[in-house]
Amino acid sequence: MTPNLFSIDLEDWFHILDHDAAPKFPEWGEQESRVAGNTDRLLGELARADVRCTFFVLGWIAEHHPELVRRIAEAGHEVASHGYAHGLVYEQAPEAFRDDVRRASDAIEAAAGVRPVGYRAPGFSIRRDSEWALDILADEGFEYDSSIFPAERAHGGLPGAAALPTRLPNGLREFPVSTVDMRLRRIAYLGGGYLRLFPTSLILHWARGQRARDEALVLYLHPRDIDFEQPRLDLGALRNFKSYVGLRGCFEKVHRLLDEFDWVPFRDYPEEAFA
Ligand SMILES: [Zn+2]
């Protein structure tokens, strides 16, 4: 059986992309920090379920919470990279992207003692116009990427890209997040706002369908996705809905998914399982 991949993008409640109401990079240090409390709750749940997974760590978080990143590594989880400053890849010049990735790897290595071999872009922002980033990642020594979102999306999205784990021509292994084909369009269902929005019964239905075809589930979560008490930004009606829907029930969904399926860190995905 192909194993499933469980991941957490390690960032705080205020790491909201591309919105004027979200705190800017120079203001991050002044915000209330909730990432350690929420992550410890997730670490406890992962330990209960005896699951090891992959944390895509924001370099800024590694710098400001090195003890949290060390705890994650010591619990046997994989520590991978979410970049340093949470900028959209397609808004960066290639050399600025390379600098951001290196700064993140340095901060993560300083905190956890291991240099990441996996990367996930903020907002899955590797699109057709930023595919050059995949070559920089390979050049920087990364072994895999999980930034391709094979469906329509506000930030990023590469509709038509492979929907299952695959090897890219440049040697990187690519792990797209799980999607379901709705005939008219493909939609994500196993991460972030999608995971919070869809009812548990529907998520389990789609996930079991994938497992019946021996397809790997690729799940992503943020610590804030389980935090009903987080401060609310005024992001406008649509973004408020996407950002804050389903916070209360999300932890229970994670519990069900951890119990029903077998999960491994991305680094442990077997070579023979690629499509
Ligand atoms: Zn992020």
Side-chain angles (χ1 to χ4, degrees):
M1 284 282 274
T2 305
N4 303 301
L5 305 169
F6 192 105
S7 63
I8 294 169
D9 293 356
L10 194 74
E11 57 191 50
D12 219 321
W13 65 272
F14 50 84
H15 289 117
I16 301 284
L17 280 166
D18 197 26
H19 199 291
D20 287 342
K24 304 285 174 290
F25 179 80
E27 301 157 2
W28 289 356
E30 305 154 16
Q31 308 301 315
E32 175 194 353
S33 179
R34 302 181 63 85
V35 66
N38 290 327
T39 303
D40 281 334
R41 199 167 162 223
L42 288 168
L43 285 171
E45 180 62 10
L46 289 161
R48 181 203 62 77
D50 197 23
V51 167
R52 246 69 56 197
C53 74
T54 295
F55 284 74
F56 291 95
V57 176
L58 195 64
W60 186 89
I61 292 284
E63 234 171 55
H64 288 75
H65 301 273
E67 70 300 331
L68 175 62
V69 177
R70 197 166 338 143
R71 274 208 301 286
I72 290 167
E74 282 171 2
H77 302 291
E78 177 183 11
V79 174
S81 173
H82 194 36
Y84 183 81
H86 215 243
L88 292 163
V89 174
Y90 54 78
E91 289 184 348
Q92 296 173 51
E95 282 316 301
F97 173 75
R98 190 189 293 270
D99 289 347
D100 180 272
V101 165
R102 280 187 187 170
R103 191 172 175 191
S105 291
D106 290 347
I108 293 163
E109 186 174 12
V114 283
R115 201 154 181 92
V117 297
Y119 176 81
R120 173 175 290 151
F124 301 95
S125 56
I126 295 186
R127 320 185 293 197
R128 288 269 176 252
D129 59 355
S130 46
E131 281 184 291
W132 47 260
L134 297 167
D135 288 334
I136 292 178
L137 292 171
D139 191 48
E140 289 293 316
F142 283 86
E143 294 172 10
Y144 73 85
D145 173 74
S146 184
S147 306
I148 290 183
F149 196 94
E152 303 277 353
R153 176 179 172 80
H155 303 97
L158 239 163
L164 296 175
T166 185
R167 285 194 201 81
L168 299 177
N170 69 6
L172 273 189
R173 292 168 289 161
E174 179 62 42
F175 297 100
V177 297
S178 286
T179 49
V180 58
D181 193 349
M182 302 295 276
R183 288 173 195 273
L184 286 177
R185 62 182 296 190
R186 183 170 278 284
I187 57 166
Y189 71 96
L190 206 53
Y194 308 91
L195 182 68
R196 286 184 274 108
L197 173 66
F198 293 122
T200 305
S201 56
L202 200 49
I203 290 168
L204 289 174
H205 172 73
W206 285 328
R208 287 169 185 157
Q210 284 207 266
R211 294 310 292 158
R213 298 188 296 273
D214 198 29
E215 296 174 1
L217 304 175
V218 179
L219 179 148
Y220 71 97
L221 187 72
H222 309 88
R224 65 172 176 271
D225 287 324
I226 60 159
D227 184 3
F228 185 74
E229 307 288 327
Q230 68 186 285
R232 309 293 166 100
L233 298 164
D234 183 6
L235 304 170
L238 179 63
R239 290 287 299 274
N240 280 346
F241 178 73
K242 284 184 183 174
S243 298
Y244 303 126
V245 67
L247 292 169
R248 219 187 267 278
C250 189
F251 191 79
E252 178 60 26
K253 281 179 188 162
V254 170
H255 179 100
R256 289 286 301 273
L257 289 161
L258 283 171
D259 278 357
E260 173 152 346
F261 303 105
D262 292 323
W263 306 91
V264 300
F266 288 49
R267 66 177 176 214
D268 293 347
Y269 193 79
E271 282 299 315
E272 62 274 15
F274 285 95

